[in-house]
Amino acid sequence: MAHITKRDLGGQIARQGILIAFVLFMVGFSLANARFLDPDNIMGVVRSSAILGVMALGVTFVVISGNLDLSVGSMMSFSTIVVLDLHDKIGPTLAIPAMFAMTLCLGAFIGFLVGYLKLNSLIVTLGMLSAIHGLTLTYSGGQNMDIADKEGTWFSVFGQGEIIGIPVPILLFALLAAVLGIGLAKTPFGRKVYAVGGNGTAATFSGIPRARVVFSCYLVSAFCVATAGLIQASRSLGSQNTVGQGLELEVLAAVILGGASLMGGSGTIFKTVIGVLILGFIQNGLLLVGLQFYVQYVVTWVIIILAVWLDIAAKRGRLWSPIA
Amino acid sequence: MQAGTLSTFLKRGAIWGFILLELVFFTVAGEFLSLSEKAFMDLDNMLLLFKQSAPIGIIAMGMTIIMVNGNIDLSVGATYALSAIVLLDSMTWPIFGGMGDWAIPMAWLAALATGTLLGALNGLIVWKTGVDAFIVTLGSMLGYRGLVFMYNGEQPTSHLNWTLVDFAEAQFLGIHTATWFLLAVTAAIWFLMNRTVHGRNAYAIGDNREAAVNAGIKVGPHMMINFMIIGFLAALSAVVFYSESGSVNPNDGELYELWVITAVVLGGTKLTGGAGSIVSTFGGVLAIQLLRKGLSHIGADTETVNLVIGLILIAVLFLDRQLNLKGKEELKT
C-alpha cells in the first residue's frame, strides 16, 4: 500500500497538468458557449488542426532525438507549391509521389547535415528555412500556384473528401498518429530514438548508430510535412508561396505543450496530439466566446510557459528556480 | 609565429574576407550583368547599405550578448513591432498633445521603455522559472505578437511627424542618422562586452555556468540585464526605422529574429555560449546586406537571396566545425 504524500500529489498534478488544463478549458468553454461541444464544432476543430497536427507528429520524432526542426514551415510551402504545379503538368497520380520524393530529399539533406556531419540542428534548419523558402519562390517564379480545372479533379479528396462521415484530413492525421505512435513506443527503432535523445554518448557506446537514427527522424519529419502539404494543396487547390510561414514555431509550441523536452529523450505521440488539440480548441473556444483570433497568441504564450514551468518544477521538486 | 595563431586569424578574419569577396564579385559581375550604369562600389550605394543594415544590425548587437551568455531570444521581431506601435501611437496621446515637438522625445522614451520592459519580462521568467530561454522567448514571440494585434487590431498604425522624418533622413558628415545609431550601439556594446565586469561575466556564464556559479557570479541578474538590453535595442531599432516610415503593420518585424540570428552566427558567435565578438557580428550584418544588395544589383531575383543565405549559413557552420576539429587534433598530438 503506497502512501501518497502531499508532495507526490503535487508532483502528480503538475505532471498531468497539461491534461488537467485541457479538461478545465473544455469545461470552461462549453459552459460559456453551448455550441462548443457540438459534434460538428469538434469535428471542425480537429479538421482544421490536422495540418498542424500531421507536421507536429514528425517534429516529435526530431525533438525526442534531441534536435530541432525549424524548416517544416517553409518545407510545407514547398511541397504544397510543387504538388499543385505538377498536378497540371503530369497529373495527380504522378504528382503526389514526385512531390513526396522531392520533400524526402530535402529531409534527407537536413538529416545528413545534422546526423552524419553532426552540425547544430537549430542553425542548419534555420538555414534550410531560408533556403527552402528561396527554392519555393524560385520554383514558382514568385507567383501563386493554382490548379486550372478545380471542379474536375479527384485531387481534392485529401483535403475536402469524407469517408463514412469523417473528413479525410482527420483520417490521415489519425492514421499517421497511430502508425507513428506505435513505431515510437513499440519498435526497436522508437527505443533507439529515445536512447539517442536521452544520452547520445551512452547510446553510441551501446552500439546504437546515432547518425542513422537522427537521419531517419528527419526523414519521418519530411514525410509528415509532405502529407501536410498534400492536405493543404488539396483543401485549397491553389496556394501562396508563404502558406507554411510561421508554422514551424506553432508546431514546436504544440510539441512542447505536449510535454516533449527540447533536451531530447522525452515526449510521446499521444501527448503531442493532445498538445495540437489544446491549441486548436483554445483557438476555437476563444472565437466562439467572441474574442479576436489574436487573443489566442497571448493565451498560448501563458499556457506554454506555465506547462513547461510546472513540468520542470515537478521534476526538481520546487517551484522557483535555484539560479542565484 | 605561434601554432594556432594562423587558424585564429583565419577564423576572426573570415567574415571580412567574405565581405571582400562579395565586394569583388558583385563589382566584377555587375560590370557584365547589371542593367544600371552605376558601379556597385558607388559611395551613395555603400552609404545606403549601412543605413539599410541598421534595423537588423542594432538588434544583432543585443543578440550577440544574449548568445554569448548562452541564451537565445526569438521574440525580438514582436518586441520591435510593439515598440514601433507605441512610438507612433504615443505621439497622438493627449498627455503629450500640448508639448509640440517635445512629444518626440517622450514618444521615444515610451517606445524604449516598452522594449526594455518586454525584455525584462523575458529575462525575469527565464531567471525565476528556470525554463529554457528558447521556450520562453518562443512563447513570448507569440504573446507579444498577440499584444501587437490587440493594440490596434489588424489595422496599420500611422503617424507621420515631419520633424521626426527630417531628423531620420538627415545626413551628418554624409552619414545617415540610422548609420550613426548603428555605429554608436556597436561601440557601446563593444565597450560593455570587453571593458566591463558585466561583459566578462556574460562570457564566463556562457562558457561554463557551473564554474561561474562557483566563482560567485550571480547568473540570474546578468541574464536579466542582457534580456533588457536586447529589448531596449529592439525598441531602438524600431525608433530608428519608424521615425522615417511613419506607419507600422501588425505583421512588421516577423522573421526578424531569423535574420538577426543568421547575422550573429555568420559573425562566428557560438550558439552554446561563451564565444563571440561584436566586431564580427558587425561584419555578419554587413555581409548579409551586401548579399541582398549585390544580388539585386546583378539582376538576380530577390528570391535567390533566401536560398543563398541559407546555404551560406550551413557552409559556415560546416567550415567552423572542420576548423575546430583540426584544432582539437593538433592539441592531442
Side-chain angles (χ1 to χ4, degrees), chain B residues 53 68 82 95 103 139 149 168 174 200 205 219 269:
Chain B
S53 326
V68 161
L82 195 55
I95 41 163
F149 274 105
R200 237 187 337 246
I205 293 167
V219 173
T269 299

Side-chain angles (χ1 to χ4, degrees), chain B residues 272-296:
Chain B
T272 42
S277 114
I278 288 294
V279 180
S280 300
T281 295
F282 190 75
V285 171
L286 287 189
I288 288 187
Q289 197 58 38
L290 257 179
L291 200 63
R292 288 182 141 186
K293 262 193 119 53
L295 285 174
S296 72

Side-chain angles (χ1 to χ4, degrees), chain B residues 66 91 101 149 168 174 197 207 212 215 270 273 286:
Chain B
I66 289 278
M91 282 191 274
D101 277 349
F149 274 105
V197 177
D207 194 35
K270 295 272 171 302
L286 287 189

Side-chain angles (χ1 to χ4, degrees), chain A residues 117 120 122-123 126-131 133-134 137 245 249 252 262 293-294 297 301 309 316 320-321 323-324, chain B residues 127-130 134-135 138-143 149 153-154 209 219-220 255 258 265 271 303 306-307 310 321:
Chain A
L117 295 186
N120 182 300
L122 175 65
I123 305 283
L126 191 62
M128 289 305 282
L129 184 160
S130 176
H133 181 56
L137 289 171
Q245 199 169 57
L249 294 166
L252 213 51
L262 285 189
F293 74 94
Y294 37 77
Y297 294 153
W301 170 38
W309 181 18
R316 71 172 165 231
W320 299 104
S321 137
I323 304 176
Chain B
W127 173 13
K128 286 298 174 190
T129 65
F134 186 88
I135 297 180
L138 173 67
S140 55
M141 184 190 90
L142 287 172
F149 274 105
E154 289 164 79
R209 193 149 138 179
V219 173
L255 295 183
L258 302 184
V265 171
L271 263 185
E303 292 92 50
N306 290 298
L307 186 62
R321 194 187 70 106

Side-chain angles (χ1 to χ4, degrees), chain B residues 100-150:
Chain B
D101 277 349
W102 280 104
I104 296 174
M106 289 300 155
W108 282 31
L109 280 180
L112 294 173
T114 308
T116 314
L117 212 65
L118 294 177
L121 184 58
N122 276 336
L124 193 68
I125 296 175
V126 173
W127 173 13
K128 286 298 174 190
T129 65
V131 176
D132 194 62
F134 186 88
I135 297 180
V136 171
T137 56
L138 173 67
S140 55
M141 184 190 90
L142 287 172
Y144 294 173
R145 184 64 66 184
L147 295 179
V148 169
F149 274 105
M150 283 163 89

Side-chain angles (χ1 to χ4, degrees), chain B residues 28-319:
Chain B
V28 175
E31 290 296 315
F32 298 104
L33 296 169
S34 176
L35 299 174
S36 80
E37 291 290 305
K38 272 173 123 182
F40 184 62
M41 291 282 277
D42 183 63
L43 181 67
D44 282 343
N45 204 14
M46 288 298 120
L47 284 176
L48 205 58
L49 176 101
F50 276 98
K51 183 187 175 185
Q52 288 163 340
S53 326
I56 295 286
I58 291 173
I59 308 179
M61 296 306 152
M63 190 67 87
T64 311
I65 316 188
I66 289 278
M67 280 169 60
V68 161
N69 199 13
N71 290 319
I72 198 160
D73 190 345
L74 300 174
S75 67
V76 284
T79 307
Y80 171 85
L82 195 55
S83 310
I85 286 193
V86 170
L87 171 79
L88 296 182
D89 196 55
S90 64
M91 282 191 274
T92 61
W93 290 349
I95 41 163
F96 299 154
M99 298 172 79
D101 277 349
W102 280 104
I104 296 174
M106 289 300 155
W108 282 31
L109 280 180
L112 294 173
T114 308
T116 314
L117 212 65
L118 294 177
L121 184 58
N122 276 336
L124 193 68
I125 296 175
V126 173
W127 173 13
K128 286 298 174 190
T129 65
V131 176
D132 194 62
F134 186 88
I135 297 180
V136 171
T137 56
L138 173 67
S140 55
M141 184 190 90
L142 287 172
Y144 294 173
R145 184 64 66 184
L147 295 179
V148 169
F149 274 105
M150 283 163 89
Y151 201 102
N152 214 355
E154 289 164 79
Q155 302 300 316
T157 308
S158 306
H159 181 80
L160 211 51
N161 181 319
W162 290 108
T163 318
L164 202 50
V165 174
D166 285 343
F167 172 74
E169 283 180 346
Q171 279 170 285
F172 180 63
L173 299 177
I175 296 173
H176 297 272
T177 310
T179 314
W180 280 115
F181 272 95
L182 175 61
L183 293 175
V185 167
T186 310
I189 302 292
W190 182 87
F191 183 83
L192 182 76
M193 298 285 282
N194 294 297
R195 292 287 181 273
T196 66
V197 177
H198 175 76
R200 237 187 337 246
N201 284 351
Y203 276 104
I205 293 167
D207 194 35
N208 189 338
R209 193 149 138 179
E210 290 282 296
V213 170
N214 289 338
I217 296 174
K218 295 228 177 297
V219 173
H222 281 298
M223 285 197 314
M224 183 151 158
I225 289 172
N226 288 337
F227 273 104
M228 287 167 78
I229 291 174
I230 196 172
F232 176 86
L233 290 179
L236 187 65
S237 169
V239 163
V240 170
F241 186 74
Y242 288 99
S243 291
E244 188 167 356
S245 88
S247 176
V248 48
N249 275 310
N251 285 324
D252 282 6
E254 248 174 29
L255 295 183
Y256 261 40
E257 49 280 345
L258 302 184
W259 287 105
V260 168
I261 293 171
T262 305
V264 175
V265 171
L266 273 185
T269 299
K270 295 272 171 302
L271 263 185
T272 42
S277 114
I278 288 294
V279 180
S280 300
T281 295
F282 190 75
V285 171
L286 287 189
I288 288 187
Q289 197 58 38
L290 257 179
L291 200 63
R292 288 182 141 186
K293 262 193 119 53
L295 285 174
S296 72
H297 180 72
I298 61 170
D301 291 328
T302 38
E303 292 92 50
T304 327
V305 179
N306 290 298
L307 186 62
V308 174
I309 286 186
L311 294 179
I312 286 178
L313 188 62
I314 293 171
V316 165
L317 196 62
F318 177 69
L319 287 177

Side-chain angles (χ1 to χ4, degrees), chain A residues 41-55:
Chain A
N41 185 49
I42 290 183
M43 200 71 107
V45 173
V46 181
R47 183 175 153 174
S48 56
S49 309
I51 292 175
L52 185 80
V54 167
M55 289 160 77

